[in-house]
Amino acid sequence: MFPPLPNPSTTETTPRFSEKDLIRRSASTVPAPEQHLTEVAKLIDVSKCIGCKACQTACIEWNDTHPEVGVFAGAFENPPDLTPDMFTLMRYSEWDNPETNELEWLIRKDGCMHCADPGCLKACPAPGAIVQYSNGIVDFVHENCIGCGYCIKGCPFNIPRISKVDHTAYKCTLCSDRVAVGQGPACAKACPTQAIVFGTKDEMKGWAAKRVEDLKSRGFANAGLYDPPGVGGTHVMYVLHHADQPELYSGLPKEPRISPLVEVWKGVTKYAGLTVLGVAAGVGLLHHLIMGPNRVTEADEEHAEELTEGDSHGRR
Amino acid sequence: MAADDVKPNEQIHPGKPVIVDRYTVGARINHWITAASLILLALSGLAMFHPSLFFLSGLFGGGQFTRFIHPWVGVVLFFSFLGLFLRFWKANLWRREDGTWLARFRDVLANQEDNVPEVGKYNAGQKLVFWSMSVLIVILISSGLVAWDQYFSQYTTIDQKRVAILVHSIAAVAIIGVWIVHFYSAIWVRGTIPAMTRGRVTGGWAWRHHRKWLRELVAKSSKGTGPSGSKPAE
Ligand code: HEM
Ligand code: SF4
Ligand code: SF4
Ligand code: SF4
């Protein structure tokens, strides 16, 4: 068993990280932090999950969101998708394993992966609406969010959702407020099977290695850790029994990366765009300085007068 | 065909200088609504385009309102430009002399308009501005609707939205570029602004820059073919 998360202390604790620990801030630059915090991570062991949704409930409670009462749509997912009020969602898929001829019920806790290279932050146009701390947590700062939805386009995992109430983007915070005072995420705390554990990223990798070993000994030859390098690794990782086919788990992307479209949009388009406009304005200015204005001359007016005077029916 | 350039309400008022009607009140209001929308769109869009321009959102009372108002101004622009399009498209059809005019564009820039062919109501440069604006506005409204998260997020996939916002930002740069050309021409060629403010230009301006149009107008009024000649431009 992984050592359980500590209970909250009753004395006041000073936050363990703050603005000073930002390594990225959307649409702005931040000075390099003096110290680099130990990276944290949440490990979701899919093989241990029983699909009870205690984590979902804990997330709603801790974050005090108020998801709508939905309708039964014939599936276990409830609600059917992530919403601004549902930061994490149990997704269920049934898979006929062709090798064993067995039906496997693959349950994945969906939510923000806290990417080391977050596409949401890259896409965000509002200064400080998305921040990344040196411990790996990617957080949305609602008072700076303008609700444009660019983060949705930037995210390779389809995570952020825009609220129709306050028009700002929401997603899992990795319980940054709890982690800041030495606790773990509410979902991890609530999980009855320790399918969700939380610790430093290194601890989690070590723990995952043991779990993978265990799974392999039980015949899951392709068991492995999902910590996709395409986004620089993540601070929410999965242990998968079929790590060679992550898509089986309700479409977990195999090789996630920030879309090249987003890279072009946020890269060359901006520089080339501003350059083109600057040059256009500059050329205009230069032309005017060199050529001076294009003025109508007296002769032009006289020509026009001659032309119209030739016209006896000219009306006044 | 050539008579397409001449609108029934375009009149010549002989005198010193000769005054030529160019735009009706309706066309001018239509133009200025379009112009205001385009500038507001450029300012609000650029605020989201690059962090160094985010301060422009201050003009609109903050980022949230900028994000909210931009697409709505886009809708105004679209319909307003549609009005201009219906008014002006005929006079902007490509003519044989336009190719020659364009080939001698250096002379135009060098202030040697005598070397280029006489042109009708619009020269090739103006026509290019007109058509690129038309195409770009269609691209901008269609990509803009896809990117309009508040109302249309459920109709497209995320990949489609990525394409849309990329296309939108490139088209936006292009249309601002076209606008710079348009704006610069209007101020460089003195005597042009009154066409859109007071609706009229001097005969000398028309002679210098749109001689064919002036000749057509003169020919029309001498033949007296214009309907109800006593009616001034709206
Ligand atoms: C014609 C209808 C238009 C519509 C419906 C529209 C809609 C949008 C939308 C939805 C966005 C995303 C931000 C937001 O939600 O406000 C956006 C961004 C933007 N728009 Fe438009 N727009 C239109 C026209 C224009 C025009 C004419 C320009 C330029 C003059 C323009 C320039 C921009 C720019 C520069 C951005 C930022 C793109 C980026 O962040 O890379 N838009 N537009
Ligand atoms: S909606 Fe997303 S991208 Fe837009 S400002 Fe808010 S956090 Fe940034
Ligand atoms: S999963 Fe999406 S929302 Fe979460 S950090 Fe990565 S890019 Fe951002
Ligand atoms: S870490 Fe916190 S915010 Fe994220 S899913 Fe768990 S409980 Fe919800």
Side-chain angles (χ1 to χ4, degrees), chain A residues 146 153 164 167 287 293 301, chain B residues 67 150 162 190 202 204:
Chain A
I146 66 169
K153 299 164 186 75
K164 296 274 183 223
H167 305 289
H287 180 259
E301 296 295 0
Chain B
R67 182 268 308 158
Q150 190 167 358
R162 289 178 182 140
R190 291 301 194 313
T202 66

Side-chain angles (χ1 to χ4, degrees), chain A residues 17-225:
Chain A
F17 60 89
S18 67
E19 287 270 293
K20 290 196 298 291
D21 298 297
L22 294 184
I23 49 171
R24 284 197 181 98
R25 187 175 186 270
S26 56
S28 22
T29 45
V30 281
E34 279 165 28
Q35 43 154 24
H36 198 92
L37 301 170
T38 318
E39 288 182 37
V40 295
K42 183 166 80 176
L43 182 70
I44 302 168
D45 184 345
V46 167
S47 70
K48 277 181 145 192
C49 174
I50 55 171
C52 68
K53 301 182 185 172
C55 52
Q56 254 184 262
T57 312
C59 181
I60 294 173
E61 281 209 352
W62 176 256
N63 292 297
D64 196 21
T65 62
H66 298 85
E68 260 177 62
V69 177
V71 288
F72 180 59
F76 280 96
E77 279 90 353
N78 180 17
D81 195 7
L82 294 169
T83 72
D85 286 312
M86 195 68 262
F87 303 166
T88 187
L89 178 72
M90 303 313 298
R91 295 191 185 270
Y92 301 77
S93 48
E94 288 161 21
W95 182 55
D96 242 328
N97 188 332
E99 275 167 34
T100 59
N101 251 338
E102 297 220 13
L103 182 75
E104 290 185 24
W105 206 23
L106 306 176
I107 309 169
R108 175 168 68 91
K109 178 184 181 294
D110 195 8
C112 175
M113 301 294 285
H114 296 270
C115 310
D117 184 12
C120 56
L121 192 150
K122 174 157 221 165
C124 179
I130 305 182
V131 295
Q132 184 182 38
Y133 297 98
S134 62
N135 62 8
I137 295 180
V138 178
D139 220 352
F140 284 10
V141 182
H142 294 271
E143 61 262 35
N144 293 336
C145 172
I146 66 169
C148 61
Y150 287 8
C151 46
I152 298 173
K153 299 164 186 75
C155 173
F157 295 97
N158 182 13
I159 300 300
R161 297 288 184 271
I162 311 274
S163 160
K164 296 274 183 223
V165 181
D166 70 359
H167 305 289
T168 65
Y170 285 88
K171 70 162 188 70
C172 157
T173 64
L174 204 63
C175 284
S176 52
D177 45 355
R178 293 171 61 92
V179 173
V181 292
Q183 297 185 45
C187 53
K189 183 93 179 154
C191 179
T193 65
Q194 282 210 333
I196 312 173
V197 286
F198 177 82
T200 69
K201 179 142 180 177
D202 289 336
E203 275 171 352
M204 291 300 104
K205 279 181 164 170
W207 186 250
K210 287 194 198 126
R211 289 296 307 138
V212 168
E213 197 184 318
D214 179 55
L215 284 167
K216 285 193 168 157
S217 77
R218 293 162 189 246
F220 291 103
N222 295 317
L225 175 68

Side-chain angles (χ1 to χ4, degrees), chain B residues 19 32 45 58 65 80 113 149 183 196 202 214:
Chain B
I19 295 295
W32 288 117
F65 194 74
S80 169
E113 250 175 297
D149 196 80
F183 176 78
M196 262 309 161
T202 66
L214 183 67

Side-chain angles (χ1 to χ4, degrees), chain A residues 148 150 265 270, chain B residues 38 41-42 45-46 48-49 66-67 70-71 74-75 77 137 140-141 144-145 147-148 165 168-169 172 175-176:
Chain A
C148 61
Y150 287 8
W265 165 42
K270 310 273 129 149
Chain B
L38 190 80
L41 281 162
L46 285 174
M48 293 176 280
F49 181 73
T66 308
R67 182 268 308 158
H70 175 92
V75 172
L77 174 83
I137 283 172
L140 282 163
I141 184 117
L145 291 179
W148 199 347
I165 196 74
H168 195 81
S169 54
I175 203 168
I176 298 171

Side-chain angles (χ1 to χ4, degrees), chain B residues 1-12:
Chain B
M1 201 49 203
D4 283 344
D5 272 10
V6 176
K7 292 268 169 83
N9 41 36
E10 286 168 1
Q11 301 284 329
I12 298 187

